């Protein structure tokens, strides 16, 4: 059988597999999130430094997770005028939303960061990929094959090892950040009206995912909010939610059949990369175009 391989870093994948196996043995996927305590050298007491209103880097487990401070505020959510005629019915009505402060990942979660907390899971899924096509493997590539449930577990484990509250962004937080927060980019895509400047999408991706941070950032300094891989949000999906959404910190419907994902991907057309575009999937689906970005509460 002929195997088609794109952007294959075989040595790195072997390292992922070997280290991932040991991590997976420590954290079996069938068990609940582990307990973790960091002791301050000398006094045996755990100490979590409070977050300031500035960007920071989370270095637990060598994650090198860059987090960007997003000052809260109000914005118009949905198919605002710059979205033009590309908008769908579920992007209406445009409505005012007010959000509290939060921190959000500067980049999508990478394969290295995923492996450090989730073990060999990603490497195994790559090897088992029935398409026999590797869509981009490397430490700085965004992780994919991520179901909503696994994304949630990643956030739980990240919270456990850091003592902070990490989670998936709400749909409103995601869109506010994609629009540049208080910078109010006013662009169709996250950071520009020209999708190819900010997004890896169908026409410029060469059929593969790309390392994070290669395109132009938006006004908040966030990369790949448009394109590369879809990003899970915490919300249940409803096409009519905007008609009943609360104004302050909306969290989506209480129940549903699908979870929201945002941002488009390397395999989808530029219309999917718009800042107001909404999409949904079953929460247990694992695809090579879906990953995540995390939020931390102040």
């Amino acid at each position: 059988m002929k195997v088609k391989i794109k952007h294959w870093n075989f040595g790195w994948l072997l390292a992922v597999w070997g280290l991932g196996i040991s991590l997976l043995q420590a954290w079996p996927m069938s068990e609940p999130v582990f307990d973790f305590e960091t002791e301050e050298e000398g006094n045996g007491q755990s100490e979590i430094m409070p977050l300031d209103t500035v960007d920071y880097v989370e270095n637990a487990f060598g994650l090198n997770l860059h987090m960007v401070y997003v000052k809260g505020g109000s914005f118009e959510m949905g198919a605002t005028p710059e979205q033009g005629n590309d908008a769908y019915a579920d992007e209406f009505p445009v409505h005012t939303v007010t959000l509290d402060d939060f921190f959000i990942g500067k980049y999508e979660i990478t394969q290295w960061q995923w492996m450090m907390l989730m073990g060999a899971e990603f490497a195994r899924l790559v090897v088992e990929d029935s398409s026999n096509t590797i869509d981009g493997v490397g430490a700085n590539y965004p992780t994919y094959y991520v179901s909503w449930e696994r994304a949630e577990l990643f956030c739980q484990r990240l919270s456990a090892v850091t003592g902070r509250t990490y989670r998936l962004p709400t749909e409103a937080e995601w869109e506010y950040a994609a629009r540049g927060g208080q910078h109010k980019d006013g662009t169709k895509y996250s950071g520009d009206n020209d999708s190819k400047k900010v997004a890896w999408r169908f026409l410029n991706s060469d059929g593969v995912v790309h390392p994070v941070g290669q395109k132009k950032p938006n006004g908040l300094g966030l990369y790949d909010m448009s394109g590369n891989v879809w990003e899970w949000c915490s919300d249940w999906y409803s096409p009519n939610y905007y008609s009943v959404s609360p104004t302050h910190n909306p969290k989506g419907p209480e129940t549903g059949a699908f979870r929201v994902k945002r941002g488009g991907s390397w395999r989808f057309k530029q219309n999917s990369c718009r800042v107001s575009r909404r999409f949904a999937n079953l929460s247990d689906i694992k695809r090579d175009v879906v990953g995540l970005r995390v939020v931390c509460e102040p």
Side-chain angles (χ1 to χ4, degrees), residues 226-273:
S226 289
N228 221 15
V229 293
W230 289 97
E231 301 172 13
W232 286 114
C233 294
S234 60
D235 309 40
W236 289 106
Y237 172 78
S238 168
N240 304 314
Y241 182 66
Y242 286 5
S243 298
V244 298
S245 171
T247 301
H248 190 234
N249 291 332
K251 293 179 171 58
E254 293 185 2
T255 61
F258 302 93
R259 293 288 184 175
V260 173
K261 64 182 185 181
R262 289 295 204 111
S265 82
W266 58 267
R267 188 183 284 168
F268 282 68
K269 296 180 179 179
Q270 64 182 14
N271 184 36
S272 297
C273 299

Side-chain angles (χ1 to χ4, degrees), residues 105-163:
K106 186 174 185 176
Y107 309 105
E108 294 159 331
I109 293 297
T110 65
Q111 292 168 22
W112 170 260
Q113 291 163 343
W114 183 265
M115 178 199 70
M116 293 306 293
L117 294 185
M118 304 297 282
E121 174 173 290
F122 174 77
R124 185 179 66 246
L125 288 168
V126 167
V127 172
E128 294 174 353
D129 186 353
S130 60
S131 71
N132 298 317
T133 301
I134 305 303
D135 298 314
V137 173
N140 290 325
Y141 285 76
T143 196
Y144 44 92
Y145 292 123
V146 178
S147 69
W148 185 91
E149 285 92 350
R150 303 307 291 171
E152 277 283 288
L153 182 56
F154 177 88
C155 293
Q156 291 172 22
R157 289 182 172 176
L158 181 56
S159 298
V161 301
T162 63

Side-chain angles (χ1 to χ4, degrees), residues 16-123:
V16 169
W17 185 263
L19 181 56
I21 286 293
S22 63
L23 290 173
L24 195 61
Q25 290 171 346
W27 303 327
M29 285 189 287
S30 60
E31 295 184 3
V33 65
F34 53 87
D35 292 326
F36 188 94
E37 182 176 81
T38 301
E39 292 189 351
E40 187 78 3
E41 185 177 356
N43 59 21
Q45 298 295 315
S46 61
E47 181 179 355
I48 304 300
M49 297 299 294
L51 294 175
D52 202 351
T53 56
V54 294
D55 301 355
Y56 71 96
V57 179
E58 182 63 77
N59 275 318
F61 275 76
L63 288 171
N64 195 36
L65 177 59
H66 291 249
M67 300 297 293
V68 173
Y69 173 66
V70 182
K71 177 67 176 175
S74 299
F75 76 109
E76 297 301 299
M77 185 172 182
T80 44
E82 80 285 341
Q83 301 301 301
N85 296 323
D86 292 333
Y88 292 84
D90 66 352
E91 298 170 42
F92 294 96
V94 175
H95 56 294
T96 302
V97 168
T98 301
L99 298 173
D100 295 337
D101 300 357
F102 60 96
F103 294 84
I104 192 168
K106 186 174 185 176
Y107 309 105
E108 294 159 331
I109 293 297
T110 65
Q111 292 168 22
W112 170 260
Q113 291 163 343
W114 183 265
M115 178 199 70
M116 293 306 293
L117 294 185
M118 304 297 282
E121 174 173 290
F122 174 77

Side-chain angles (χ1 to χ4, degrees), residues 213-224:
Q214 291 189 333
K215 289 291 186 178
K216 175 185 172 183
N218 72 358
L220 280 170
L222 305 178
Y223 292 84
D224 302 309

